[in-house]
Amino acid sequence: MMAAPRLEINLDKIYHNASTLVKRLACRGISVTGVTKATLGSAEIATTMLRAGVKALGDSRVENIEAMRFAQVPASMAMIRSPMLSQAKRVVMHADVSCNTEIEVIRKLSVEAQKADRTHGVILMVELGDLREGIMPDDLIDTVRETLSLPNIVVKGIGTNLACRSGVSPDSKNMAKLSDLADSLEATFGLTLEIVSGGNSANLEWALSGAAIGRVNDLRLGEAILLGCETLHRQPIDGLHTDAITLSAEVIEAKVKPSQPSGTIAQTAFGEAPAVTDRGLVTQAILAVGQQDIDPYGLIAPAGIDIMGASSDHLILESDRSELSVGAQVIFQLNYSALVRAMTSSFVTRIMTSASTDKDYLS
Ligand SMILES: *Cc1c(COP(=O)(O)O)cnc(C)c1O
């Protein structure tokens, strides 16, 4: 029997998702940076994205970028989270470009780039309303001025990130603002910005709506490629696979039990108030996977199976489906939160499948 818990990653479906998005966006003059952070910088997935036509790779962790370099993934790589000062040297050594919001960090990247005799590209991220990372638009000119003066640093472009902290939707207004900033920086400093990076998977609706694209010529896409959904409403994207990655977990107990606990009720393992409706006797199954490996609220169970909750190592299901006996494995789809946790858990095996290369391999 196959090892469990297990992520099954269908590289052909990821290829299809990535190449479909690359083609649709190419019609709008937009290239794709494939974001690998949810895969922990998997060389197989990164290579699949590159074959599908993504122009570069992006990751928020320098460790993942290092892993892809070590595996000799042939791509331009962008560090898409503002580098830690303490990791500036590693960022310069392994990433070609980084997204930045603090001049102090860019100064340090310059120092490390000089020491290593390398040139490091900088994309300056602009705050356009979502209130996560970004330079306030009024401060951009000053930041660009100093960045341009720093040795071994090249200003590659500007970018923004929306719909992450506050759910602010990319729209014609904030995207036009980004384009205007690109135009005015070029006019002020007489430079050419190679990259205007409009955002993440949440930008797809705007980018494919037919709205004027302006100067935006790149999107950084992770979730849309891996999970096949847009991220404003988490709807499937037409023509994409939403099951490229699945999680299988194994039943370790299957019993009929009362739906209502007995005894004095206090807190659960994770400090929640337990559900206490009496639904009579229920058929319950316990799977050997838990909060340490997945977000139980981010798993999508097969029809007829309900996820009741999870502690660190146990996932509780209810179902009348007789096949949930001890030893059976249940296959779930995952949302982004469940996916990143499963990828990060060392207890979860990863299996990559691909018909086109005809090899199934563990990683
Ligand atoms: C994670 C991330 C992305 C990719 O986001 P998705 O929603 O997975 O497409 C893009 N840009 C930045 C800065 C990120 O942190």
Side-chain angles (χ1 to χ4, degrees):
M1 207 191 309
M2 290 232 262
R6 167 177 89 250
L7 279 171
E8 280 192 35
I9 301 163
N10 184 317
L11 294 174
D12 298 335
K13 290 183 177 177
I14 290 175
Y15 176 88
H16 171 85
N17 286 357
S19 79
T20 303
L21 291 168
V22 165
K23 283 181 203 140
R24 286 180 193 172
L25 288 167
C27 298
R28 311 284 293 140
I30 296 176
S31 61
V32 175
T33 294
V35 174
T36 49
K37 65 190 183 198
T39 76
L40 265 54
S42 153
E44 292 89 349
I45 295 174
T47 306
T48 301
M49 288 184 183
L50 288 167
R51 277 199 298 117
V54 308
K55 191 176 163 195
L57 299 173
D59 205 291
S60 52
R61 312 270 174 154
V62 75
E63 293 82 354
N64 294 345
I65 291 175
E66 287 168 349
M68 292 190 287
R69 288 287 185 223
F70 185 74
Q72 299 190 322
V73 174
S76 172
M77 291 184 202
M79 172 78 180
I80 60 172
R81 183 173 71 182
S82 184
M84 290 181 235
L85 282 175
S86 60
Q87 292 188 334
K89 181 176 178 181
R90 291 165 71 179
V91 170
V92 162
M93 292 309 291
H94 301 288
D96 303 283
V97 174
S98 58
C99 294
N100 284 273
T101 62
E102 291 288 354
I103 194 67
E104 196 181 344
V105 174
I106 305 171
R107 287 184 200 128
K108 177 85 165 149
L109 293 169
S110 169
V111 168
E112 295 298 343
Q114 290 172 72
K115 280 191 207 157
D117 199 17
R118 295 173 73 93
T119 304
H120 187 72
V122 162
I123 296 174
L124 293 163
M125 298 295 279
V126 189
E127 167 60 51
L128 290 178
D130 199 54
L131 306 181
R132 202 180 73 176
E133 77 273 37
I135 300 162
M136 295 304 286
D138 287 347
D139 298 334
L140 190 58
I141 294 253
D142 285 345
T143 308
V144 170
R145 181 176 295 114
E146 181 170 349
T147 304
L148 287 169
S149 76
L150 293 170
N152 298 48
I153 294 291
V154 176
V155 175
K156 281 277 181 187
I158 62 172
T160 195
N161 194 69
L162 297 171
C164 274
R165 177 184 165 192
S166 312
V168 171
S169 302
D171 58 23
S172 295
K173 203 165 164 226
N174 46 38
M175 288 296 107
K177 173 89 181 160
L178 187 66
S179 289
D180 288 349
L181 288 168
D183 287 340
S184 77
L185 288 177
E186 290 186 346
T188 305
F189 296 105
L191 48 75
T192 305
L193 296 174
E194 190 186 312
I195 301 168
V196 180
S197 189
N200 53 47
S201 295
N203 283 63
L204 284 168
E205 195 174 289
W206 165 81
L208 300 173
S209 69
I213 291 306
R215 295 289 311 273
V216 173
N217 63 7
D218 187 74
L219 291 181
R220 309 174 303 273
L221 302 182
E223 184 166 346
I225 294 174
L226 299 172
L227 298 179
C229 69
E230 55 81 42
T231 57
L232 291 174
H233 314 288
R234 295 268 155 22
Q235 294 304 306
I237 297 171
D238 198 32
L240 264 53
H241 298 290
T242 56
D243 62 349
I245 306 178
T246 60
L247 176 94
S248 300
E250 187 169 323
V251 178
I252 54 171
E253 181 189 297
K255 294 191 189 306
V256 174
K257 293 195 178 184
S259 52
Q260 193 161 30
S262 52
T264 308
I265 307 291
Q267 288 189 353
T268 67
F270 281 85
E272 297 158 357
V276 285
T277 49
D278 189 358
R279 291 166 291 114
L281 290 175
V282 293
T283 308
Q284 173 180 300
I286 298 178
L287 273 56
V289 67
Q291 295 268 7
Q292 195 169 352
D293 318 292
I294 44 94
D295 173 359
Y297 306 108
L299 293 179
I300 303 148
I305 297 179
D306 294 320
I307 297 169
M308 306 311 291
S311 53
S312 306
D313 311 298
H314 297 78
L315 179 70
I316 319 284
L317 306 182
E318 277 182 22
S319 173
D320 285 331
R321 288 172 53 166
S322 56
E323 70 270 31
L324 289 187
S325 52
V326 171
Q329 295 189 353
V330 182
I331 303 174
F332 301 86
Q333 288 190 43
L334 308 94
N335 75 4
Y336 197 76
S337 153
L339 176 65
V340 288
R341 232 187 276 178
M343 284 277 187
T344 309
S345 170
S346 60
F347 300 97
V348 179
T349 307
R350 288 189 287 276
I351 295 181
M352 314 262 177
T353 62
S354 169
S356 57
T357 57
D358 209 19
K359 70 175 174 193
D360 289 7
Y361 44 93
L362 292 164
S363 84

